[in-house]
Each structure stands twice: as structure tokens, then as C-alpha cells.
Amino acid sequence: MPLKAGRSDAKIVFNSIDLGQYIYEVELLATPAGPERALIFKTGLGNSQVLQARLINYSKTKVDYTSKTDNADFHVEKNTQPATSGGVGGTEVTIEVTFEPSQLGDSKGTLIVSSGGGGEYISHWLVTAITPNRKDPSPSELDKASPSSSRTFSPPQQLSCSPSTTPSSL
């Protein structure tokens, strides 16, 4: 089973007591693996969601994988924990993917996990950023001088805030 896409040459020898020896030179071509299972994210603007991408390592030696993404709303550890050598069935490698939307709507992304000795894995993401849930302040939060937000926008955004109702007694 090939671990990496590419071309290689091999020699096959068939031996028969009655018919003799037959030698064949063959050209082997390994195509890139198809994409892994798609991850589907759906969370509100200002929140985050964490899912795990899983892949199977078939390499016979210990390998280190690197991860990268093509969408700034996703965060992955660049270096994934080393994968132990895979047996016949391989060993599972898990990568945590965090989605923090910066705009509303649907979008897509791609995760590429690669290693020199373990090949390359591609996983596509389908994401939906929905409007955030309204969160009324608790009495203890009313004493705070300024509201806080859990999302830092990139690039920085100008935000404004106005009350939607008149204050009431608690």
C-alpha cells in the first residue's frame, strides 16, 4: 500500500519449476488520497466551536504531522502530536480544529495535514456562522465598567452598542 502519491518502478519475478522464470518490470503510480470526512461547523458570531478531525496513519515508522488551514476563522495546532507507527489497520491521529467566525453566513475551508513519511491528508469544512444569541447581563455584570467580547476581529472592527429597552428595576 503506498503512503505517498508518486511514481516508482518495481520488478516482479515469477518462478515455476515447469515453466521457468518470468521477470516483469512494472511502473507503479500512486494517486493522491481522496478527501477525508468533511467537518460541519455551526456556531454564533462571537462564539467558537471545537471539532476533531481524524485520520489514519499507515506509516510503519513514527511520523510528525504539520497542519495548516486556508481560512483565518479556523485555528489548528501547526505541529500535531507524533503518530506512532501504524500496523496493518493503522493508528488514529486526532487534530483539534477551532472555528471562531468573523462574519455571518456560510463559508468553506480546507485542512491539510502532511508529513514527509506519512503522506498528505485533506479535509474540507462546511461552516455556518449564525447571529449570536442575545445574552442579558446578570446583576453582577451590571457593576462592571465596560462589556467584554470573546472574539477579537481581524482586522480590528469598530463596534457600537445601544440599549434596546429602557432600564428596569431588578
Side-chain angles (χ1 to χ4, degrees), residues 121-170:
Y121 298 85
I122 298 173
S123 179
H124 297 288
W125 301 323
L126 306 172
V127 301
T128 302
I130 56 177
T131 55
N133 292 334
R134 189 175 124 189
K135 183 179 175 188
D136 292 329
S138 66
S140 63
E141 289 175 330
L142 291 174
D143 296 336
K144 293 183 181 177
S146 63
S148 64
S149 174
S150 62
R151 171 74 173 145
T152 304
F153 291 95
S154 178
Q157 301 289 319
Q158 181 67 35
L159 301 175
S160 62
C161 174
S162 62
S164 59
T165 60
T166 57
S168 61
S169 61
L170 297 173

Side-chain angles (χ1 to χ4, degrees), residues 4 15 17 22-23 27 35 40 44 85 97 102 113 118 120 142:
K4 295 189 293 186
N15 287 311
I17 296 172
Y22 293 90
I23 301 172
E27 180 181 326
I40 300 172
S85 60
V97 180
S102 61
V113 181
E120 182 175 88
L142 291 174

Side-chain angles (χ1 to χ4, degrees), residues 35-164:
E36 298 294 314
R37 180 181 66 88
L39 295 177
I40 300 172
F41 293 85
K42 185 175 183 178
T43 190
L45 190 64
N47 295 319
S48 65
Q49 182 180 9
V50 178
L51 293 178
Q52 292 184 340
R54 299 177 193 282
L55 58 96
I56 303 294
N57 170 45
Y58 292 100
S59 176
K60 292 180 174 55
T61 61
K62 183 177 175 181
V63 292
D64 294 317
Y65 286 99
T66 58
S67 305
K68 64 181 178 179
T69 178
D70 65 351
N71 188 324
D73 288 349
F74 294 95
H75 307 284
V76 293
E77 290 293 325
K78 184 175 180 173
N79 294 318
T80 303
Q81 66 185 34
T84 58
S85 60
V88 174
T91 56
E92 186 176 85
V93 177
T94 304
I95 298 112
E96 269 196 4
V97 180
T98 304
F99 171 54
E100 291 185 84
S102 61
Q103 62 184 10
L104 293 174
D106 296 333
S107 63
K108 296 178 181 179
T110 302
L111 170 68
I112 300 173
V113 181
S114 59
S115 170
E120 182 175 88
Y121 298 85
I122 298 173
S123 179
H124 297 288
W125 301 323
L126 306 172
V127 301
T128 302
I130 56 177
T131 55
N133 292 334
R134 189 175 124 189
K135 183 179 175 188
D136 292 329
S138 66
S140 63
E141 289 175 330
L142 291 174
D143 296 336
K144 293 183 181 177
S146 63
S148 64
S149 174
S150 62
R151 171 74 173 145
T152 304
F153 291 95
S154 178
Q157 301 289 319
Q158 181 67 35
L159 301 175
S160 62
C161 174
S162 62
S164 59

